[in-house]
Amino acid sequence: SHRPAFRAFFRPKQRGQSMIPDLCISGVFVPGLLGGAFIALVTTVALLRLLTVLGAWRVFSIRPLVELAVFTILFSLLAQGLSTIGSLP
């Protein structure tokens, strides 16, 4: 039977589970949260550079706190999205 391409990268999960699936990269299982953290980090860097180009840093008084908040928000949104990937039929 033919499986979708994105399913080949995730360990199959049992129906009813809501865990974040592990990523399989060349036979090595990487925890799903680690992959999500890396994606959130790259997205955070891109978004912070965009804020720098737009000059939006003048609005914020504590830049490191804003950077941490942006990473936390992106990571939590990715964690919510990654927990639903394996539940497709």
Side-chain angles (χ1 to χ4, degrees):
S1 75
H2 182 276
R3 294 186 340 180
F6 70 90
R7 289 283 215 165
F9 294 107
F10 294 100
R11 186 187 311 180
K13 73 182 219 185
Q14 303 297 324
R15 195 165 284 284
Q17 290 181 344
S18 62
M19 292 177 23
I20 295 174
D22 294 337
L23 302 169
C24 181
I25 301 174
S26 300
V28 177
F29 287 108
V30 178
L33 281 177
L34 182 63
F38 180 73
I39 293 170
L41 181 65
V42 170
T43 308
T44 300
V45 169
L47 187 59
L48 295 177
R49 288 190 184 241
L50 179 66
L51 287 174
T52 302
V53 169
L54 295 176
W57 285 120
R58 291 176 284 161
V59 177
F60 305 112
S61 60
I62 306 174
R63 183 175 174 159
L65 185 61
V66 173
E67 292 174 357
L68 180 63
V70 168
F71 175 77
T72 304
I73 291 168
L74 288 175
F75 182 67
S76 64
L77 289 174
L78 281 170
Q80 285 180 343
L82 285 175
S83 66
T84 61
I85 286 177
S87 62
L88 298 174

